[in-house]
Amino acid sequence: MLEMLKTNQSHQGIYIMSPSSAVADAKVLMRGVKRLEKMGFKVALDRTVLACEQRFAGTDAQRLAAFGRAVKQKLPIVMASRGGYGVTRLLPHLDWASLADSEKRFVGQSDFTAFNLAFLAKTGRISYAGPTACFDFGATKTEPLTTEIFGEVMRGELEILSFESEHADPVDGRGILWGGNLAMMTALIGTPFMPKIKGGILFVEDVGEHPYRIERMLNQLAQAGILGKQKALLLGGFTGYRLAEHDRGYDLNSAIDFIKQSVKIPVIPGLPFGHTPMKVTLPIGAKVGVATEDGVAHIVLDEHLEEI
Amino acid sequence: MLEMLKTNQSHQGIYIMSPSSAVADAKVLMRGVKRLEKMGFKVALDRTVLACEQRFAGTDAQRLAAFGRAVKQKLPIVMASRGGYGVTRLLPHLDWASLADSEKRFVGQSDFTAFNLAFLAKTGRISYAGPTACFDFGATKTEPLTTEIFGEVMRGELEILSFESEHADPVDGRGILWGGNLAMMTALIGTPFMPKIKGGILFVEDVGEHPYRIERMLNQLAQAGILGKQKALLLGGFTGYRLAEHDRGYDLNSAIDFIKQSVKIPVIPGLPFGHTPMKVTLPIGAKVGVATEDGVAHIVLDEHLEEI
């Protein structure tokens, strides 16, 4: 499904912190650490990575302090232990200048989308939508391509990401790659943490949201004038929902069809990204190329190193 | 729980239409019709009130046409058969001028919040958050106060609505009453269908949303600069969710506490409005007074007739 072009090699280190929900099982995190070390990464854990305050990985003050430590320590990659909920509470209080100046590569997904997008809005800098320490590296069985591509992207080796995309609309363009979790993204609309991107390549995914809610969120992006200004919409995984008898045939395709009728935007399904074991690592805020041909879509990442 | 002051009496009629999801059971609707007739209302059914297209009460074109018929017929009240999902799809295509000119009193809740708020944004006119034909009047057992207050408000008789409100913040002010279903409201942020209200009296309710999602939605209203500009936040019912073990004590109160720390706004709990049998009927877009004292909150509606 995926092709990669390698260019160079370099050693890397990962600092793992918890910006969102509490880590449910320390063993899962430790399995993730071991797997990352096996891949050749040096790994350090933030001191409150296992903190717990109600459903959160520590109080807001503790999670903010973790960001402060993450930018001061020496390892170049800062990875979220997991998603959940909690980043949006911190957004007004994060020190964006020091986060940008740190030149760290921040990686996470789901709730972390709020960080990815706010970081882009506030600093114009790139961060990464990608695997997390627990869900991906800590799984009893990991998807080899997920870890492989993560390594390639972190080492700056991945130039082209190609994936099967049935019924993709024809497109050949360039723009800022942005997006992530659809619910987190729509929760930023109207706030100072929503990037103002025109001509972008937007990607979305979600979990546990019925297609009518996915439609409602995409429709908000459309009616807010955001979706129509993008060059392409890439659809990642939409998983973990149940259709009901009263849907009477209404499904995710119905939702996408409605959006395509509302906004003339090329739609590219099949992006291997979501709440699924298989996920690519994507530079949010980087200028990328996107093209489709013969049932295959390509994301050309070659410019992302220049932009960091 | 509720006190009412009656002023006058007049006869009314209700036109029932389906702007959102399909009516699941025609018997429930007919029970609602009978109950409304017993209350003294003349009732007429729109010709596609029972239409069904996938999960919707007919195609978008059919539901739009129903609005067109509703404004042309003679009965003064237009009531939604039920909520669900579907109004947001219609918003860009509704004829706002003819809806405003009709001087109909539109009533509904839940998905209908999208209409209430868009109608206010586009025309400045009042419409009503209140009971629907199926859920409320069609229930096997109705809450007498719900139907009584609906009648009073429709006949322009209700001047003051008072309800128990434990731990209400002190407030005594006037402003535009607006709000409704929190998810539908946040789904309008950034779109042309979101009213721009300053100094308003905002009320919210929701069903089936975990407190962390309620917090996320209120936080979006806060971070978008909307919540902080209101004079008071009235909390209706938040029902139909389940707390999990990993919430570890995090609950709706935690969510509200966080919002109160973020935005200095008086919060008034206990508004009898939501996805619950007991619900008041509220004029969205009307200037009202709000005050609290000794565990009781008052909404003074006396100006709403002038504004229609």
Side-chain angles (χ1 to χ4, degrees):
Chain A
M1 178 169 57
L2 291 140
E3 293 171 55
M4 284 152 287
L5 295 174
K6 300 188 185 193
T7 52
N8 62 54
Q9 290 278 353
S10 72
H11 285 292
Q12 305 279 350
I14 299 177
Y15 188 79
I16 300 174
M17 58 165 288
S18 294
S20 305
S21 287
V23 170
D25 185 346
K27 273 184 236 137
V28 173
L29 179 62
M30 293 321 294
R31 197 157 56 211
V33 170
K34 273 183 197 151
R35 196 169 268 129
L36 285 164
E37 287 174 339
K38 257 195 187 168
M39 289 172 68
F41 291 104
K42 188 180 171 187
V43 178
L45 294 176
D46 180 70
R47 83 166 82 113
T48 60
V49 73
L50 292 174
C52 184
E53 172 70 26
Q54 292 183 330
R55 55 181 293 120
F56 304 100
T59 63
D60 288 4
Q62 283 178 309
R63 292 178 353 266
L64 277 170
F67 273 105
R69 287 188 294 272
V71 299
K72 278 185 192 134
Q73 57 78 44
K74 289 193 175 164
L75 303 178
I77 300 166
V78 175
M79 180 183 280
S81 61
R82 60 163 295 189
Y85 170 68
V87 166
T88 40
R89 292 168 68 119
L90 309 182
L91 295 180
H93 312 293
L94 282 168
D95 181 347
W96 297 108
S98 79
L99 288 161
D101 291 347
S102 75
E103 300 202 349
K104 300 297 180 197
R105 273 166 276 161
F106 299 95
V107 191
Q109 74 157 145
S110 198
D111 190 52
F112 202 72
T113 294
F115 178 85
N116 290 137
L117 296 181
F119 190 55
L120 180 58
K122 287 289 182 185
T123 73
R125 296 296 184 105
I126 290 168
S127 64
Y128 295 84
T132 53
C134 293
F135 182 88
D136 298 286
F137 298 103
T140 47
K141 214 177 163 184
T142 56
E143 170 57 49
L145 266 177
T146 297
T147 60
E148 199 175 325
I149 290 171
F150 168 73
E152 308 254 343
V153 172
M154 287 298 107
R155 290 188 298 266
E157 293 169 11
L158 193 68
E159 293 188 346
I160 298 180
L161 188 67
S162 302
F163 55 93
E164 285 174 25
S165 180
E166 275 194 90
H167 311 297
D169 293 318
V171 60
D172 187 358
R174 304 182 59 71
I176 299 288
L177 182 67
W178 69 306
N181 180 262
L182 182 56
M184 294 316 302
M185 186 180 182
T186 52
L188 297 179
I189 296 176
T191 79
F193 309 111
M194 183 69 165
K196 289 178 174 53
I197 307 286
K198 287 182 189 177
I201 313 297
L202 180 64
F203 70 98
V204 292
E205 63 82 27
D206 220 319
V207 64
E209 300 284 0
H210 188 285
Y212 90 83
R213 294 173 73 108
I214 294 163
E215 176 185 306
R216 191 169 72 192
M217 291 189 276
L218 290 171
N219 197 30
Q220 182 174 13
L221 286 170
Q223 293 184 352
I226 296 166
L227 196 55
K229 287 184 187 140
Q230 309 307 313
K231 285 219 177 97
L233 175 65
L234 278 65
L235 301 176
F238 288 91
T239 52
Y241 62 81
R242 262 194 211 182
L243 295 174
E245 203 183 320
H246 66 251
D247 286 314
R248 293 183 204 83
Y250 176 91
D251 59 12
L252 188 60
N253 287 333
S254 316
I256 302 302
D257 286 348
F258 170 72
I259 295 301
K260 287 180 73 164
Q261 283 164 27
S262 309
V263 178
K264 301 294 166 224
I265 185 173
V267 173
I268 304 172
L271 178 72
F273 184 77
H275 283 68
T276 46
M278 174 61 225
K279 65 174 62 91
V280 294
T281 300
L282 295 167
I284 291 182
K287 201 160 194 179
V288 304
V290 67
T292 54
E293 52 168 355
D294 301 332
V296 178
H298 309 279
I299 302 176
V300 184
L301 300 173
D302 59 343
E303 276 195 325
H304 82 279
L305 286 177
E306 300 164 32
E307 306 263 326
I308 284 175
Chain B
M1 181 165 59
L2 292 141
E3 293 171 56
M4 284 152 287
L5 295 175
K6 300 189 184 189
T7 51
N8 62 55
Q9 289 278 352
S10 72
H11 284 293
Q12 305 282 348
I14 300 177
Y15 188 79
I16 301 175
M17 58 165 289
S18 294
S20 305
S21 288
V23 170
D25 185 346
K27 272 182 239 140
V28 174
L29 178 63
M30 293 321 295
R31 197 157 55 210
V33 170
K34 272 183 201 152
R35 196 169 269 128
L36 285 164
E37 287 174 340
K38 258 194 187 169
M39 288 172 68
F41 291 103
K42 188 180 170 188
V43 179
L45 293 176
D46 180 71
R47 83 166 82 115
T48 60
V49 72
L50 291 173
C52 184
E53 172 70 25
Q54 292 183 330
R55 56 180 293 120
F56 303 99
T59 62
D60 287 4
Q62 284 178 309
R63 294 182 347 269
L64 277 170
F67 273 106
R69 287 188 293 273
V71 299
K72 277 183 195 135
Q73 58 77 44
K74 289 192 175 165
L75 303 177
I77 300 166
V78 176
M79 180 183 281
S81 61
R82 59 163 296 190
Y85 171 68
V87 167
T88 41
R89 293 168 67 120
L90 309 182
L91 295 180
H93 312 293
L94 283 168
D95 181 348
W96 298 108
S98 80
L99 288 161
D101 291 347
S102 75
E103 301 201 349
K104 299 298 180 194
R105 273 167 277 160
F106 299 95
V107 191
Q109 73 156 147
S110 198
D111 190 51
F112 202 72
T113 294
F115 177 85
N116 289 136
L117 296 182
F119 189 57
L120 181 57
K122 287 290 182 184
T123 74
R125 295 298 184 105
I126 291 168
S127 65
Y128 295 84
T132 54
C134 292
F135 182 88
D136 298 288
F137 298 103
T140 48
K141 213 177 164 183
T142 55
E143 170 57 49
L145 266 177
T146 297
T147 59
E148 199 174 326
I149 290 171
F150 168 74
E152 308 254 342
V153 173
M154 287 299 107
R155 291 189 296 266
E157 293 168 12
L158 194 68
E159 294 189 346
I160 298 180
L161 188 67
S162 302
F163 55 93
E164 285 174 25
S165 181
E166 275 193 271
H167 311 300
D169 293 319
V171 62
D172 187 357
R174 304 183 58 73
I176 299 289
L177 182 67
W178 70 306
N181 180 264
L182 183 56
M184 294 315 302
M185 187 181 182
T186 52
L188 297 179
I189 296 176
T191 79
F193 309 111
M194 183 71 165
K196 289 178 173 55
I197 308 285
K198 288 181 189 178
I201 313 297
L202 181 63
F203 70 98
V204 292
E205 63 82 26
D206 219 321
V207 64
E209 301 284 359
H210 188 285
Y212 89 83
R213 294 173 73 111
I214 294 163
E215 177 185 304
R216 192 168 73 192
M217 291 189 276
L218 290 172
N219 197 30
Q220 181 174 13
L221 287 170
Q223 293 185 350
I226 297 166
L227 195 55
K229 287 183 189 140
Q230 308 308 314
K231 285 218 179 102
L233 175 64
L234 278 64
L235 301 177
F238 289 91
T239 51
Y241 62 81
R242 262 193 211 184
L243 295 174
E245 202 183 323
H246 66 250
D247 286 313
R248 291 183 204 84
Y250 175 91
D251 59 12
L252 187 61
N253 286 334
S254 315
I256 302 302
D257 286 348
F258 170 72
I259 295 300
K260 287 180 74 163
Q261 284 163 27
S262 310
V263 178
K264 301 293 166 227
I265 185 172
V267 173
I268 303 171
L271 178 72
F273 184 77
H275 283 68
T276 46
M278 175 60 226
K279 65 175 62 92
V280 294
T281 299
L282 295 167
I284 291 182
K287 201 160 197 179
V288 303
V290 66
T292 55
E293 53 169 354
D294 302 331
V296 177
H298 309 278
I299 302 176
V300 184
L301 301 172
D302 58 343
E303 276 196 325
H304 82 281
L305 285 177
E306 300 164 33
E307 305 263 326
I308 283 175

